[in-house]
Amino acid sequence: MKKLATLFMIMALAAITAKSALAGDTLAEAKKKGVLVVGCKDSLPPFGYIDEKSRQIVGYDIDFVNAIAKKMGVKVELKPVTSASRMPQLQEGHIDIIAATMTKNAERAKVIDFSHTYFFTGQKFITKKGSVKSLKDLDGKRIGTAKGSTSEQNVKKAIPTATVLSFDDYPQAFLALQQGKVAAVTTDEAILAGILAKAPNKAQFEIPNLQISDEPYGLGMRKGDTNFVNFVNKTILEMEKNGEAAKIFDKWFGPNTQFHLQRNFKITAGK
Ligand code: GLU
């Protein structure tokens, strides 16, 4: 009887340990390893893309995680992810944090935790110039986007008659538009602006002023990884206060860049 009780106690202890290992403490573990493994995009300027000269992945998302890792005193290891692979990669422990144009929403927040909003944009379309004046013009048309994105879900709701073609990432969807296989590509305006800026035949395309959603970006962390979530939030609030966050925004979206966006948000606790 005593033996059985001990066995139960061991089993209960093992279960507790397994559970805490699952949530883990990324802050402590990354410090111990000396490295923070980041899931990022590698073909979406100016968020995460390969710089032609250095052959390194650079961008707005990367600068945020670099600042966080610097504060932790660790190196950053970048691992490219897609919209569909980023949450499983995080949950399976292949990455420690998602910094990959990711919108925070209630559905995703059931599975992972998010930082405060560190970027704010909204969903629009790229089309052939002059072809789309209102959403009605896209009725019954083929529209390209990325698998596993909010863009995919939003467009299905906004234009139920359209056929949505989902690619691994947005550059492939844009190729389909260039080849005339879709009538539009839809995702966040800031991503579309980046794709258009790099397109060789950009004069043929435009981003009509048709917005179908708000897209606040958060850094994604494992559910219950509380120490790390608190540390990341504290760091990005500090970056807002000391001007570093606005400086990163200006570097990628300011008046001397190809994108020229207004900074229409501030990093705030609770958002
Ligand atoms: N921000 C949207 C999302 O998280 C679209 C961009 C993306 O697919 O990363 O789904």
Side-chain angles (χ1 to χ4, degrees):
M1 210 42 211
K2 218 173 168 188
K3 255 192 192 161
L4 205 64
T6 320
L7 190 67
F8 273 129
M9 247 173 71
I10 291 170
M11 278 167 65
L13 258 170
I16 292 165
T17 324
K19 203 172 165 227
S20 55
L22 209 70
D25 183 353
T26 301
L27 184 62
E29 280 153 29
K31 277 184 182 169
K32 207 159 74 192
K33 283 186 299 184
V35 60
L36 181 69
V37 186
V38 176
C40 64
K41 295 294 182 89
D42 69 352
S43 56
L44 292 189
F47 291 98
Y49 68 102
I50 298 172
D51 176 59
E52 274 165 27
K53 277 195 204 128
S54 67
R55 308 306 300 160
Q56 303 289 321
I57 303 174
V58 297
Y60 181 89
D61 285 344
I62 314 304
D63 281 353
F64 268 86
V65 284
N66 277 342
I68 292 161
K70 192 172 167 206
K71 185 111 198 278
M72 291 166 70
V74 301
K75 279 194 279 194
V76 163
E77 184 186 328
L78 298 173
K79 278 200 184 165
V81 292
T82 63
S83 301
S85 76
R86 60 195 162 189
M87 286 215 284
Q89 290 281 321
L90 178 70
Q91 286 178 291
E92 285 160 26
H94 302 307
I95 55 176
D96 294 322
I97 187 167
I98 299 171
T101 66
M102 188 169 195
T103 297
K104 313 161 54 154
N105 63 26
E107 195 189 329
R108 289 172 174 172
K110 284 183 198 152
V111 187
I112 65 172
D113 282 342
F114 285 105
S115 71
H116 304 318
T117 299
Y118 73 101
F119 188 80
F120 192 84
T121 179
Q123 184 171 342
K124 290 192 173 176
F125 301 83
I126 293 193
T127 60
K128 277 254 160 74
K129 230 176 214 166
S131 68
V132 174
K133 301 261 180 288
S134 79
L135 289 184
K136 282 242 163 333
D137 296 327
L138 289 168
D139 264 345
K141 296 280 166 61
R142 282 142 67 103
I143 302 177
T145 188
K147 263 180 233 153
S149 64
T150 51
S151 317
E152 187 183 34
Q153 297 177 348
N154 296 335
V155 71
K156 283 180 183 167
K157 273 186 219 136
I159 315 175
T161 56
T163 303
V164 176
L165 300 188
S166 295
F167 297 82
D168 277 336
D169 231 322
Y170 303 102
Q172 281 122 293
F174 185 59
L175 196 65
L177 177 65
Q178 288 173 304
Q179 294 168 341
K181 292 181 181 158
V182 295
V185 171
T186 188
T187 187
D188 306 335
E189 180 180 15
I191 294 178
L192 295 177
I195 289 173
L196 198 57
K198 299 271 173 194
N201 47 356
K202 52 174 158 285
Q204 298 172 23
F205 301 96
E206 67 181 349
I207 302 172
N209 195 16
L210 301 170
Q211 180 164 328
I212 60 169
S213 70
D214 283 343
E215 304 290 324
Y217 288 3
L219 301 164
M221 287 157 279
R222 275 178 283 275
K223 191 111 202 118
D225 198 354
T226 319
N227 280 344
F228 188 43
V229 174
N230 290 344
F231 178 86
V232 165
N233 277 335
K234 205 174 130 220
T235 306
I236 64 174
L237 282 175
E238 270 167 29
M239 289 167 71
E240 180 66 47
K241 253 201 174 148
N242 66 21
E244 198 179 343
K247 209 164 133 195
I248 294 174
F249 185 94
D250 253 21
K251 174 175 165 191
W252 300 104
F253 298 102
N256 298 325
T257 67
Q258 301 161 299
F259 306 106
H260 270 239
L261 289 187
Q262 283 296 330
R263 192 167 189 260
N264 59 354
F265 66 95
K266 273 202 160 70
I267 300 171
T268 323
K271 282 236 173 114

